[in-house]
Amino acid sequence: MDAGVRAALGLSLTGMSGLSLVSPAWFQSPAFCYGVFTYCSWPQGDRWNQTCLTFGSLKDMPGLAWKVSAAMLLGGWLLLAISALLLSAWALAPRRLQPRRHLGPTPVVQAAAAASTLVGLLVFPATLASPFAKEVCEGSTTYRSGTCWLSWGYATAILNVALTSLPVVGWPQMTTVPRTAVPFSGDTQGIILVPE
């Protein structure tokens, strides 16, 4: 795959991942939704009149699981951004500086980003046991959402980690076949193959 296409994919994945991180739509109830860093509330039946707030720091987050998940997801996003920057630099570098067509440490950075994001996604539903979530999602416990349901922000984050882990599995590698010269005879009726 061309380095420019990989760079474009890496940048778009970074953007989508960042969008899902700032989205408040990870768990949602009829009058409230929350994500990793943002939460919103609105009057019953008037969704256009939302009030949204963000957690200013890790110590503002209501629970250890929330803090761990936020740190892992943010770390995964930062690694994904570094990977996208490396891919972009590789795509923009002159061809003479690229003696071999490999991407250096980029697959390792992408693998670390996917692993960190996956851990954050697996830990995040444990936030349903926090007092904050129990108040919003009545009857919620760890990995049980009560009156809340999963929303598009969490689903987008799952899709991002799946797409991010694809290059870790491996892109198809192009192999070169050694070429041999086939001498032609003066006769235009046939081709004579000469073994080496």
Side-chain angles (χ1 to χ4, degrees), residues 4-24:
V5 173
R6 287 188 192 202
L9 287 174
L11 290 171
S12 64
L13 277 175
T14 303
M16 283 177 32
S17 181
L19 178 65
S20 70
L21 273 180
V22 298
S23 163

Side-chain angles (χ1 to χ4, degrees), residues 54-122:
T54 60
F55 296 112
S57 67
L58 283 178
K59 63 182 175 182
D60 295 340
M61 293 181 176
L64 179 64
W66 209 311
K67 294 173 186 177
V68 169
S69 178
M72 296 303 289
L73 288 166
L74 186 60
W77 180 81
L78 287 172
L79 288 170
L80 190 60
I82 290 168
S83 173
L85 289 174
L86 287 172
L87 284 169
S88 298
W90 184 260
L92 296 173
R95 297 285 177 217
R96 69 181 187 283
L97 295 178
Q98 303 171 3
R100 291 181 285 160
R101 299 297 300 168
H102 65 82
L103 297 174
T106 304
V108 175
V109 175
Q110 247 179 322
S116 177
T117 305
L118 182 63
V119 169
L121 287 174
L122 291 174

Side-chain angles (χ1 to χ4, degrees), residues 176-191:
T176 57
V177 177
R179 297 182 181 192
T180 58
V182 179
F184 290 97
S185 71
D187 187 8
T188 58
Q189 297 294 324
I191 299 173

